[in-house]
Amino acid sequence: MPSTSSATVAEEAERKYSATGDRPLPDLTGLPSVDAIDVDRFELSAQYYDTADLCLLRSKITLRRREGGDDAGWHLKLPSGVDTRTELHFPLGDDSAEDVPADLGSLLRGIRRGAPLSLAALLVTRRHRHRLRSSDGGFVAEVVVDDVDAVRSADGSEIRWKEIEVEWNSTLGDKTIGRFLTALEERFAAVGITRSESPSKLHRVLGDLLPARPPIAKGLIPVRDYLSSELHTLGLSDIAVRRDARDAVHSMRKAARRLRSALQTYSDEIVVDPDLVDELRWLGRRLSPSRDLEVQWERLTDRVADIPVESHREATRARIDEYFSARSEAARLEAVDTLDSDRYVGLLTRLDAAITDIAPATEAAGARPKVARKELLRAVAALSKKVSRRVDRVGDAENPAERDALMHRARKGAKRMRYAIEVIAPLHPKRSGRILDRFDDFQDLLGEFQDSVVAREHLLDMLSEQGHTAETSFGLGILFRIETEIGDAQAAHLDSGWQKAYRAARRLWT
C-alpha cells in the first residue's frame, strides 16, 4: 500500500477544451517556443473514488487509481489556483487492490467528514498525445486528444465524449506561456475548439448529481459565500497540515478564526448556534501551539544576527534550535490528533449544515426573511465601537504586563473587525479594498507587538532552564532586550494606527 511519505508532489497547470464532431487538431508546428513535437497513443484506465454524497467533488478534489501511461498510480489532485492544481502521486505498490489505501483515507478524513470512500466512476481513456518541446529538448507543453468512456457507480449510466487537454510547463514563466497559449487558442478557435465548461473529467460524469444551493435572502449571499469559501480553505489546509506542509497550520487557524468571527459579528442577522462558535474557538486553541512555535522559531533564529558578539551567535542559535525542535514536533502531533478526533469531524459536519441552512435571525420569529445591507453595515459599526474602547483602555494600563494583555485584546477585536469587513467586501469592492489595506497596516503593528511579547516569554523559558553557557545566556539576554524595545515601539503607535484604520472603515456606514 502507498504511504504519504512515498508521495511525489507537483504543480499541474492545464486547461480543458471541447471539440464538436470529429474535427482534428489544428497544426501545432511553429507555435511560440516550440521546435519539436513527439506524438504517441496509449490507453488509460482510472477508478475515481468519493463519498456517497460526493464530498471530494464538492471540494474540487479528485482521487483516482490509474493504470496505463507513464504515470500509473494513485493521484490526489487539490485545487491551488486558476488553471492550476497540486497533484500528489503515490505508487500503486506490489498488490492490485483497488480499495483506497488507509494512508490516503486518513489524509482525506476531514474532507470526507469521516465517511467511507468508494468507487464513484470508472473511466477508460484513449489518448493521442502531442509533446511539444523547445530547441534544447525541454518540455513546453502537452496537447492531448482524449476519447473517454465513463461509467458511474451511482446508477450504472454511461457517457462518452471527446475532449482536449493542454498542460504546460509553468516554470517557463508567465510571459512565455502567455504567448504560447494565446497563439494556440487562436488556432483552436479557427477550427471550433472552445474552453470546456467542466473543470474535470469526473465533474463531467458526476456533476449533475451535485445538489443545487438552496435560495436564501439576497442580503445573506455575501455571508454565505464568505463562510463557504473559508470552510473550503479550512478543508484544504487540513490536508496540508497532515502532510506537514509549510504554513499549513497558519492557514487553517486563520480560516477557523474567520469563520468564528463572521458567525459572531453577524449573529444578530443570521441564526447562529453559539456552540458552533465555541467549537471553532476550541479548534483554534488546539492549533495555536504548533503555529506559534513555528513563528517564534523562525523569528528568534533570524534575530540571532543582531547579537553584537559574533562568537556568541552560534551557541545561542543552537540553544534556540534545541528548545523549539522538541516542542514543535509535540505540538504538530497534537494538531494532527485534533484533526483525527470525532469532535473535529462533528464540527465540520455542523458547519456544513449551518452554511447550507443559513437563515435570517428574524425568520425564527415568523418575520419576513430579509436582511438588508444596512443591517450588515450596522453590525460592523457596532464592532468598531468595541474596538475603540479596547484601544482606549491600553493607555490606562498601570504596568507593562497589563498593557500587554490589553494590547492583545485590542488586537483580537481589530482582527475580528477586519474579517467582518471581508464578509461584506463584495458589496463595496473598491472602498473595502482601501479599508482592508489600512487594517492590514494596523494588524501588522499589533501582530509585531504580540510576537515580541511571546518571544520574550520563550526567551525567559530558555533562560530558566539549566545548563547554560555564558555565551548562551549573553545571547538570549540581548535578544530579550531587543524584543522589549520592539514591543515598546509598536505600542507607541497604537492610537495613530487605529485612527487611520477607523477613519477609513467608518465611510462604510456614514
Side-chain angles (χ1 to χ4, degrees):
M1 288 292 186
S3 67
T4 53
S5 61
S6 64
T8 58
V9 183
E11 291 298 318
E12 179 184 77
E14 72 172 22
R15 291 180 182 176
K16 294 183 180 295
Y17 299 83
S18 298
T20 57
D22 295 324
R23 294 185 178 184
L25 281 177
D27 183 13
L28 300 178
T29 60
L31 288 167
S33 303
V34 176
D35 292 278
I37 303 176
D38 302 329
V39 181
D40 59 356
R41 297 175 184 269
F42 49 91
E43 185 172 285
L44 304 167
S45 175
Q47 299 89 35
Y48 286 81
Y49 293 82
D50 208 329
T51 61
D53 58 351
L54 303 178
C55 279
L56 270 62
L57 186 61
R58 285 188 279 117
S59 297
K60 302 177 182 178
I61 294 171
T62 57
L63 172 64
R64 72 185 178 205
R65 183 183 187 275
R66 172 185 275 179
E67 296 180 352
D70 49 19
D71 65 344
W74 288 91
H75 301 163
L76 178 62
K77 296 192 176 188
L78 311 169
S80 59
V82 178
D83 294 331
T84 61
R85 291 187 292 180
T86 299
E87 179 176 316
L88 278 63
H89 181 207
F90 305 82
L92 287 175
D94 297 330
D95 56 59
S96 58
E98 296 183 1
D99 290 336
V100 176
D103 282 346
L104 264 173
S106 296
L107 198 61
L108 295 168
R109 175 176 167 80
I111 292 292
R112 60 188 176 88
R113 308 303 193 245
L117 293 166
S118 59
L119 184 65
L122 173 65
L123 276 68
V124 175
T125 302
R126 293 169 297 282
R127 173 161 290 181
H128 185 192
R129 179 171 65 178
H130 304 72
R131 293 181 66 83
L132 283 52
R133 301 186 181 279
S134 59
S135 58
D136 61 0
F139 173 67
V140 176
E142 184 175 279
V143 180
V144 302
V145 180
D146 286 341
D147 290 296
V148 187
D149 291 307
V151 179
R152 65 185 187 187
S153 300
D155 53 15
S157 61
E158 300 180 10
I159 180 173
R160 175 178 294 178
W161 76 94
K162 174 181 288 188
E163 71 176 26
I164 297 165
E165 287 184 3
V166 178
E167 182 177 348
W168 60 89
N169 182 358
S170 58
T171 65
L172 294 177
D174 292 342
K175 289 185 178 179
T176 298
I177 291 302
R179 287 193 296 268
F180 167 79
L181 289 175
T182 297
L184 178 64
E185 291 189 344
E186 287 176 353
R187 297 190 188 187
F188 278 0
V191 296
I193 297 175
T194 59
R195 290 288 296 272
S196 174
E197 295 181 359
S198 294
S200 67
K201 285 182 172 65
L202 190 63
H203 189 276
R204 184 158 187 160
V205 178
L206 303 177
D208 63 307
L209 300 178
L210 294 174
R213 302 183 82 178
I216 60 171
K218 185 177 180 181
L220 288 185
I221 291 176
V223 181
R224 182 178 67 180
D225 289 349
Y226 184 84
L227 293 172
S228 297
S229 176
E230 292 305 321
L231 183 56
H232 180 63
T233 299
L234 187 78
L236 295 181
S237 300
D238 170 312
I239 297 174
V241 170
R242 296 173 192 272
R243 291 173 49 216
D244 197 18
R246 181 177 174 81
D247 288 334
V249 174
H250 174 56
S251 177
M252 189 172 191
R253 190 174 67 164
K254 185 162 63 174
R257 188 185 296 124
R258 282 174 162 156
L259 286 164
R260 176 165 55 88
S261 176
L263 292 173
Q264 286 178 300
T265 301
Y266 298 108
S267 59
D268 288 341
E269 284 68 46
I270 61 175
V271 178
V272 175
D273 180 355
D275 289 341
L276 195 55
V277 173
D278 290 338
E279 289 299 278
L280 284 166
R281 184 179 289 109
W282 162 79
L283 176 61
R285 287 173 177 167
R286 294 285 293 183
L287 295 173
S288 289
S290 180
R291 172 56 183 171
D292 291 343
L293 288 166
E294 181 181 56
V295 169
Q296 290 298 321
W297 193 351
E298 183 175 349
R299 178 186 182 90
L300 292 177
T301 297
D302 291 343
R303 196 76 72 205
V304 166
D306 296 331
I307 297 174
V309 182
E310 185 175 357
S311 60
H312 293 1
R313 294 173 190 166
E314 184 176 350
T316 305
R317 168 66 186 270
R319 178 70 192 99
I320 290 172
D321 287 345
E322 179 186 20
Y323 174 86
F324 281 108
S325 60
R327 288 165 173 78
S328 294
E329 179 58 20
R332 196 191 81 79
L333 292 175
E334 180 184 15
V336 174
D337 285 345
T338 298
L339 303 189
D340 284 339
S341 68
D342 292 339
R343 182 175 180 178
Y344 169 68
V345 173
L347 166 61
L348 296 177
T349 303
R350 293 171 65 185
L351 283 169
D352 289 335
I355 295 172
T356 299
D357 302 330
I358 190 170
T362 54
E363 193 171 69
R368 192 167 68 158
K370 182 179 179 181
V371 174
R373 292 184 178 189
K374 64 181 181 181
E375 293 171 328
L376 300 179
L377 293 173
R378 191 179 300 126
V380 179
L383 185 54
S384 73
K385 293 180 181 178
K386 295 180 181 179
V387 179
S388 290
R389 288 195 292 269
R390 291 187 181 188
V391 170
D392 290 342
R393 290 193 187 108
V394 173
D396 298 330
E398 297 181 357
N399 54 64
E402 184 180 359
R403 180 204 65 179
D404 293 352
L406 292 172
M407 283 278 287
H408 186 48
R409 280 181 53 79
R411 175 174 175 258
K412 291 193 292 185
K415 188 174 292 186
R416 180 178 165 188
M417 184 174 171
R418 188 202 190 284
Y419 296 154
I421 295 171
E422 285 180 349
V423 174
I424 60 173
L427 303 178
H428 307 277
K430 291 184 179 179
R431 189 180 303 174
S432 296
R434 293 190 293 270
I435 295 169
L436 291 173
D437 286 343
R438 289 295 189 187
F439 269 81
D440 283 343
D441 294 340
F442 189 54
Q443 284 298 327
D444 287 344
L445 182 155
L446 291 170
E448 180 68 3
F449 174 84
Q450 186 60 25
D451 285 346
S452 76
V453 172
V454 177
R456 279 176 268 151
E457 293 172 354
H458 284 300
L459 290 166
L460 288 175
D461 282 345
M462 286 183 238
L463 284 164
S464 67
E465 295 179 349
Q466 300 296 317
H468 284 292
T469 63
E471 292 84 357
T472 302
S473 297
F474 175 84
L476 295 176
I478 291 295
L479 296 184
F480 187 90
R481 178 181 61 79
I482 292 173
E483 292 293 350
T484 300
E485 291 173 351
I486 290 172
D488 291 343
Q490 299 303 107
H493 293 96
L494 175 66
D495 289 332
S496 61
W498 168 243
Q499 287 305 316
K500 290 177 182 177
Y502 173 74
R503 282 196 297 268
R506 69 182 179 185
R507 296 171 186 169
L508 285 172
W509 59 82
T510 56

